[in-house]
Each structure stands twice: as C-alpha cells, then as structure tokens.
Amino acid sequence: MISQALAFRAGRRGFSTAIILYARKSVERENSISCETQLEYCRSAVKPDERDEEILTFVDNGFSGGNVNRDGFQKMMRLVRQGEVRKVIVYKLDRISRSLPDFVNILQEFKTHRVEFVSSQEAFDTSSPYGEMIVKLLMVFAEFERTSIITRVTQAYIHRSEMGFYMGGRRPYGFELVPAVIHNIKTKKLNPIPSEVEQIQYIFEAYAEETVSLRLLLDILVSEGKMPLDGSSWTTAKLSALLKNPIYVKADFDIYDYYERHGVRIAGDMLQFTGERGAQLYGRTKHDPDSSDWSDMRLVLLTHPGVVDSGVWLKCQQKLERNRRITNSYRNPTSWLAGKVICEKCGHTMTTIKGTLGKSGEVRRYFCCTGKTHKRICTGPGVTVYAEDLEHMIDACISGKLADLKAEKILVRREDTAGINDLKLKIKAVEQSERQLLDAMLSGGFQDDLLAIANRKAAQLKEERMALKKRLEERKEGWSEAAVDLAAAWKDAGYSRKKAAAMTVIQKIVIREKGDVRVFWNL
C-alpha cells in the first residue's frame, strides 16, 4: 500500500484527485468476509465514468474498528488532508469505524476536504444531505451493537467464572489444563501436576518461615537446584506473583474472611469454602497493583483441588503485605537491633546506613561503626554487615530461645479442622442474616405485626449464633494454649514489638573484624 500511494503522488500528472477503496477486518474468522472480497465489492461501486481515474487501495487486516489507530487508515487520511482524494468507497460503513464520535469526526473531515463517502452495500453516499443523515443514524446503531456485544461478553465472562470455569489464559505453574464438563458445558479445568505441585508446596512452606525473604528464597531454590520444570527460571517478581495467587490455596473460612476484609467481592455461596478447592481472583486494584483498594476485584471458587494449606498461604500474604508497606512508605530505615550492635575494635555502637550496591543499583541497609563515621578513631569491621542478614540471624536465634521457654505445644487434631471451618462458616452466615434483618427493620418498612415477627426472628438468629459459638469453643478445647506460643507470637511481631523485645532479651551484639557475630543475652 505504501508503494502504491508513493507511486500515485510521484506520477499524478493529469490527476487532481483519486478514488480510494478501503477495507478492514478485525480477526480471521471462517464466516467473515475477507479484505480482498471487500475490495471487489468496492470496485463494483465505481461508476463507469470514474474508471479512468486513479484508484488506490488501503487495507487494515487484523485491526479493530473501535479506534482509528490503523496504518492503512492513517495513510489514507494523510492523502485526504493533502487534498488528493475525491471519493472513499468501503464495503460497509462500519469498516471505517465502529465509534460514533470517531465516525462523525471522519465525516466532518471528509466534508471539509470535499471527499465523498460511499458504502457499496448500503446504497448511499454523502454527496447529498439525506445520505449524510442516514450514515449518522446507522452509526448510532453500529455503536449500540458494539457496546451491546461488549456487555454480553462481559456478562458471559462473569457468569462462567461464577460457575467455576477457569477463565485465565496461560496455565498457572503447577497445573495443566484438561478437558472437562461443568454444568453440562464442555470446557477446561486445572489438574495438578504432582512434580510441579511439590515445588509449589516447598516454596510456600519455605517463604512462610519468618527469616526467609524473597531474595533468600530465590537463592535457596537456585542452590538446591529446584528450578521450574517448564524450563524457565525463578525471579523474585515471579515468586511474588506465585505466592499471591489464590489458585493454590485450599480455600476455607479463613480465606473467605481474608478477602472479605480486603473488600473483595466474593462470588458463590460462603458455605462452599470448605478447604478443598482453589480460587481465582479477577479484576485489578485501583490506582496501582500494590493498592490496598480491592473493591473492583472478585474472588470465585474453581473446581480444581487446592494444594497449599490456608494457614501457610495466609502467613505468606502477611509477609508480602508487610514488606510492601515497608517498601512503599520507606518506613523504619533503621533496624530493630539499633543500639545493641557493637564494633569489637573500638567498642562504639554501629548504626544503619542506606547504600547503593555497585552496578545493580540495589539499595540496602548496612551497619557502620560510629567510631569510624563520627569519632574518626576506628576503621570498622573488614566486611560489610548487612542489616537484613543480621536481623534474620538474630530473629532465628530469638525464635529458638522462645521455643525452649514455652510449654509443650498442643496441636489441633486434624479431624477437627473441617468441623471448625464448617462452624466458622455457619456463624458467618448467621451474622450476615442478622445484619440484613437489622437493616430491614431500621428502614421502617415493617408494620407492627411484621415487626413482631422480625423481632422473634432476630432473637432466633441470636440464639443460633450463640449456640454455634459455644460449639466452636468446645471444638477448640485442648489447643487454646497454642495461641500463647511465644515463638509463634514472635514470628508475627512487627517492628516496634521486635525493637522492644530486643532491648529486653539482648545485652549486646558484637561484630568482629572478619564479620563474625557474638551475641550476649539477658536470658
């Protein structure tokens, strides 16, 4: 098309203007008309007395009519603006555009440059006011059809996702897509791949450990040769996306509660969250991927089995969210070990400084001797002591000491887990019913007799809720001591709590010349 247009401009002696035949096709479908056939119809619309005029063709194959960002169309419009076009012929008017605002602007531009617009199949042209009016009316219907199609596709997508259909594109690592029939509809479902699932479970369990960062997790996987079995490689970004994905979790009450607290719209019956199936999250967070506003997102249960326990999955989410908050806000630039780290050479404390690492540009915190930076009396340790590495080491030491202090841990019996989850779901359902009934009563729409019935129903719901909570407490007997597990409480502690604990249990941390660490405890 470019060479034809250039040839026209280079050899247009004797021709003031040309006729352009334009064709567009969105996607290749067996029942859709090809661009070549469109052009044949356009040629048939050329009048006998016009056949000696210069005729150019412009084609956009594989372009949507929803906008005008098309190569062939833009080349054609440049010739129009240069006054080198007398008439534009298309197969149907929606080949030019399916957007009414765009089409009206195009028509106005054609009119400004005295260009006629003809549709070969709709028997009108814009050389008359009547033809111009018909074109605009037809474009209203064309846009209506386009928006209707978008609405129908969106509604079908939502409906199919709520039925448990996997709506994603590329398969998530750990699963394969296999043919399935769901609600008498042929589709595909996720099926676990044992070898890949084993890696997934290892990744979640490893990252759930308090001392393991994404960077350390990546190093562990590489050093142990646990690379993806599909031939790719791990990155911290890929690991982060994997750890956030609810495809892997055994979705139970705690998962339902987690997403409800985040404002996610949850499709389906809450009582289906039995801890057997995985889930999928649709939509995007507002503003940016790290936003805490999830109100535009939807969670649906799928048909495949979950492969990661909800407790492990939630621990990973807590770590990811905590790291994201710290990264986004740049809070706590110092260390919770500040004031306890001592340089062995001079006896002065070591404080944290942020620095950039060589060519990588990565910013990390490291300890620096104040005898070196402030007093000028010391050269400091001969190696760099990174704050994150020292924190992880001390964190693990404290966890071990606290584990030695606590009484023997009483575990929840596995056979009770499903029953406890079921009771939590039932309590949640009753609480929702109570809120709905209260809202209806407060709206003032009840007459006296109906209000009395509503009050009795409210009392029944309260009794049911209290009875369910009593049963839940009975199920929990024998494992409540786990709630005061000191080591577990330490793992969930934030910056301020760790800072306070370090001030109590640590006397000092001495850094030697070669980076060796010696910890003096108050315990």
Side-chain angles (χ1 to χ4, degrees):
M1 295 310 137
I2 296 176
S3 60
Q4 191 174 7
L6 290 174
F8 164 69
R9 292 214 298 272
R12 57 189 287 264
R13 299 182 187 88
F15 295 103
S16 59
T17 54
I19 295 174
I20 287 182
L21 313 181
Y22 177 78
R24 179 188 65 79
K25 185 177 180 181
S26 297
V27 293
E28 293 294 337
R29 294 195 184 108
E30 291 183 3
N31 60 347
S32 62
I33 187 167
S34 67
C35 290
E36 290 74 16
T37 304
Q38 292 180 40
L39 292 175
E40 287 301 318
Y41 279 107
C42 292
R43 290 188 183 96
S44 67
V46 177
K47 297 177 182 179
D49 59 350
E50 296 174 332
R51 289 172 183 169
D52 291 334
E53 296 187 34
E54 185 77 11
I55 297 177
L56 305 178
T57 59
F58 289 91
V59 175
D60 284 316
N61 209 338
F63 286 85
S64 168
N67 59 65
V68 295
N69 297 323
R70 293 168 259 145
D71 294 340
F73 177 80
Q74 292 298 334
K75 293 183 179 76
M76 177 186 75
M77 292 306 296
R78 280 198 290 271
L79 291 180
V80 168
R81 294 174 189 124
Q82 292 167 8
E84 298 180 354
V85 179
R86 184 178 72 79
K87 180 183 286 189
V88 173
I89 304 176
V90 296
Y91 170 67
K92 285 186 176 181
L93 68 94
D94 63 0
R95 299 301 87 195
I96 283 287
S97 178
R98 285 184 175 272
S99 167
L100 181 60
D102 285 343
F103 190 77
V104 170
N105 292 334
I106 294 166
L107 279 183
Q108 185 60 47
E109 198 159 2
F110 283 171
K111 188 174 182 179
T112 300
H113 295 283
R114 300 179 182 276
V115 176
E116 297 176 25
F117 176 66
V118 177
S119 169
S120 67
Q121 295 300 295
E122 289 150 332
F124 60 80
D125 60 59
T126 57
S127 59
S128 68
Y130 177 78
E132 185 176 346
M133 179 193 71
I134 295 298
V135 168
K136 290 181 180 178
L137 287 175
L138 287 176
M139 277 309 302
V140 171
F141 287 102
E143 184 174 29
F144 172 74
E145 180 185 11
R146 177 173 174 267
T147 55
S148 297
I149 291 172
I150 292 173
T151 301
R152 288 197 300 271
V153 170
T154 302
Q155 290 175 344
Y157 184 92
I158 293 173
H159 178 65
R160 288 173 68 87
S161 68
E162 290 180 350
M163 292 171 67
F165 288 37
Y166 175 68
M167 305 299 291
R170 183 183 302 175
R171 73 169 183 93
Y173 188 73
F175 296 94
E176 61 180 342
L177 286 170
V178 297
V181 177
I182 303 175
H183 300 293
N184 296 321
I185 299 174
K186 290 184 178 180
T187 181
K188 290 186 177 181
K189 63 175 287 186
L190 297 174
N191 190 51
I193 302 174
S195 56
E196 293 185 3
V197 165
E198 185 178 350
Q199 280 192 338
I200 294 294
Q201 292 170 335
Y202 180 86
I203 288 170
F204 273 92
E205 289 169 2
Y207 187 70
E209 295 294 329
E210 186 66 25
T211 57
V212 178
S213 64
L214 281 174
R215 175 65 64 180
L216 181 57
L217 175 62
L218 177 60
D219 293 341
I220 292 172
L221 293 172
V222 172
S223 64
E224 296 185 1
K226 297 182 182 295
M227 302 307 292
L229 301 179
D230 58 6
S232 61
S233 58
W234 296 120
T235 65
T236 53
K238 185 182 290 188
L239 289 171
S240 176
L242 185 149
L243 290 164
K244 294 175 185 175
N245 198 338
I247 283 280
Y248 303 108
V249 72
K250 297 176 181 179
D252 57 11
F253 169 82
D254 293 329
I255 301 302
Y256 183 97
D257 185 62
Y258 171 80
Y259 280 110
E260 186 183 53
R261 285 188 284 106
H262 280 78
V264 174
R265 291 178 293 169
I266 304 175
D269 185 358
M270 177 178 61
L271 297 178
Q272 294 179 346
F273 283 74
T274 58
E276 299 172 354
R277 295 153 58 185
Q280 188 166 22
L281 197 61
Y282 297 105
R284 295 184 178 180
T285 54
K286 293 181 179 178
H287 310 304
D288 61 75
D290 291 330
S291 169
S292 59
D293 187 352
W294 292 4
S295 58
D296 285 346
M297 305 191 77
R298 298 170 59 256
L299 183 78
V300 297
L301 279 177
L302 300 186
T303 56
H304 70 276
V307 296
V308 176
D309 290 337
S310 63
V312 174
W313 191 88
L314 288 171
K315 281 184 180 180
C316 293
Q317 306 318 301
Q318 291 168 2
K319 284 185 66 177
L320 290 166
E321 290 176 7
R322 183 166 66 246
N323 294 341
R324 184 165 62 244
R325 286 195 299 269
I326 292 173
T327 301
N328 289 347
S329 61
Y330 297 99
R331 291 184 300 176
N332 303 331
T334 184
S335 169
W336 51 272
L337 296 176
K340 294 293 182 178
V341 184
I342 308 296
C343 172
E344 186 183 49
K345 274 188 178 181
C346 64
H348 284 77
T349 58
M350 300 180 70
T351 58
T352 52
I353 296 177
K354 277 188 176 182
T356 303
L357 297 181
K359 295 181 180 180
S360 68
E362 183 182 2
V363 177
R364 293 188 66 179
R365 296 172 299 133
Y366 61 92
F367 281 96
C368 190
C369 174
T370 55
K372 176 181 178 180
T373 58
H374 295 70
K375 305 291 185 179
R376 310 292 182 184
I377 60 173
C378 182
T379 58
V383 297
T384 302
V385 180
Y386 291 110
E388 184 180 11
D389 295 339
L390 185 60
E391 288 167 351
H392 285 160
M393 187 194 76
I394 300 300
D395 188 291
C397 291
I398 293 177
S399 293
K401 287 188 172 293
L402 292 176
D404 292 338
L405 290 176
K406 70 178 181 63
E408 183 180 355
K409 186 175 179 180
I410 303 174
L411 299 175
V412 181
R413 294 187 303 276
R414 182 171 295 276
E415 59 267 27
D416 284 346
T417 303
I420 290 170
N421 185 74
D422 183 59
L423 286 171
K424 288 181 177 179
L425 290 172
K426 288 179 179 178
I427 292 170
K428 190 79 171 179
V430 171
E431 289 174 343
Q432 288 181 351
S433 298
E434 286 182 304
R435 285 197 299 270
Q436 292 171 358
L437 181 60
L438 180 61
D439 291 341
M441 293 171 67
L442 293 176
S443 67
F446 288 111
Q447 297 179 355
D448 291 344
D449 53 346
L450 293 178
L451 186 61
I453 295 174
N455 281 324
R456 286 198 296 272
K457 180 62 176 177
Q460 291 174 357
L461 288 171
K462 182 179 179 180
E463 289 180 8
E464 184 178 356
R465 172 167 51 83
M466 298 304 293
L468 287 169
K469 286 190 173 182
K470 183 178 179 180
R471 289 172 57 190
L472 180 61
E473 291 303 318
E474 290 173 353
R475 287 290 185 101
K476 287 183 177 180
E477 286 183 1
W479 57 274
S480 58
E481 289 186 16
V484 293
D485 181 351
L486 296 177
W490 170 256
K491 287 183 179 180
D492 294 332
Y495 175 87
S496 58
R497 290 177 63 187
K498 287 193 173 184
K499 174 76 173 175
M503 296 298 292
T504 302
V505 301
I506 299 173
Q507 180 184 353
K508 62 182 178 179
I509 302 169
V510 176
I511 307 296
R512 296 177 175 176
E513 169 66 20
K514 295 183 179 180
D516 299 337
V517 178
R518 184 179 180 187
V519 184
F520 295 84
W521 301 94
N522 288 327
L523 296 176

